[in-house]
Amino acid sequence: MPKAILFDHDGTLVDSEPSHLALWNEVLEPLGVTLPEPLYKDLYAGMPTPANAVDIAERFGLDVAPAELAERKAEATRAFLAARPFPLMPGTREVLDRLQAAGLRLAVVTGAARDATRASLAAHGLLDRFETIVTADDVAFSKPAPDCYLLAARQLGVSPAECVAIEDSEHGLQAAADADVPCVVKPTPMSAHHDFARATVRVDDLHAAAAWILARAAA
């Protein structure tokens, strides 16, 4: 029986991946590089910015240190969020209401930076809905490593088996599965082609994810 629901942020709670692709291209344009959408979908959707920066710098032979490239992307994201929030995924508020009404504890587990995640959630008035928020800044190794999920379970005082993760990407699924956290996968157009063979269940939207979780909580 699940006790805690661990939500990914980008692509799960908020529809941010198209914006992240646009922000990467904003950062890369002065360097003479355009990141094609198919490449972003294959390699970068759902991955932390520092890891993406390492691959992009190497792949395109950029004369910029990956750490500097990651900081430029982080700054672009901060500027974006200062002007507007990422839109919520359909059903986000209703699903949070349903899960909390059932007595389930909620957390966010993301490969994004702490400041961007908190700004995104605060813009929608959702910060106080989550008991803990684990970001890439809180672990030595972010997604697809399992560290973030293991830390969230420890902070909540529950075992990984007593949690359910909700993810949208193969990289996030790998992190949850390697932490022995059952994982509901809700793909987006950016991740629909990912390998989700390790998912506990695959659903079409957050409402279906909540229905699956609540059925098990009531069992």
Side-chain angles (χ1 to χ4, degrees):
M1 175 178 173
K3 294 182 178 179
I5 312 305
L6 313 181
F7 285 87
D8 173 50
H9 177 257
D10 292 286
T12 300
L13 290 171
V14 295
D15 187 9
S16 56
E17 291 293 359
S19 297
H20 282 302
L21 172 58
L23 289 166
W24 266 117
N25 277 323
E26 177 184 313
V27 168
L28 293 171
E29 182 180 8
L31 302 173
V33 169
T34 298
L35 198 61
E37 183 174 306
L39 184 66
Y40 182 85
K41 289 179 176 180
D42 284 344
L43 298 180
Y44 305 128
M47 285 289 286
T49 294
N52 285 345
V54 170
D55 189 271
I56 290 169
E58 180 178 345
R59 183 176 301 274
F60 293 99
L62 301 181
D63 189 24
V64 179
E68 170 62 21
L69 190 62
E71 178 52 35
R72 293 181 191 180
K73 168 58 168 60
E75 179 56 36
T77 302
R78 287 192 289 268
F80 180 95
L81 289 172
R84 71 194 71 76
F86 296 128
L88 289 177
M89 281 292 188
T92 294
R93 293 186 190 279
E94 297 88 342
V95 163
L96 295 178
D97 289 343
R98 290 176 65 193
L99 295 175
Q100 285 190 311
L104 294 165
R105 303 167 69 188
L106 307 182
V108 171
V109 179
T110 177
R114 182 186 300 116
D115 58 352
T117 302
R118 294 185 67 85
S120 172
L121 295 172
H124 293 289
L126 296 180
L127 267 179
D128 63 352
R129 305 296 294 270
F130 302 100
E131 288 189 43
T132 190
I133 298 172
V134 175
T135 72
D137 297 313
D138 300 312
V139 291
F141 301 100
S142 190
K143 297 178 184 180
D147 304 40
C148 50
Y149 276 107
L150 295 172
L151 176 58
R154 287 198 301 272
Q155 289 181 346
L156 292 169
V158 297
S159 70
E162 292 174 315
C163 302
V164 173
I166 303 180
E167 282 281 358
D168 71 297
S169 72
E170 180 180 351
H171 312 296
L173 168 61
Q174 180 180 334
D178 285 351
D180 294 325
V181 174
C183 188
V184 178
V185 165
K186 179 199 69 65
T188 71
M190 285 286 190
S191 63
H193 64 293
H194 286 191
D195 181 359
F196 294 123
R198 299 180 70 190
T200 307
V201 65
R202 177 172 175 162
V203 298
D204 292 332
D205 54 37
L206 284 175
H207 288 295
W212 186 89
I213 290 166
L214 291 171
R216 275 133 196 89

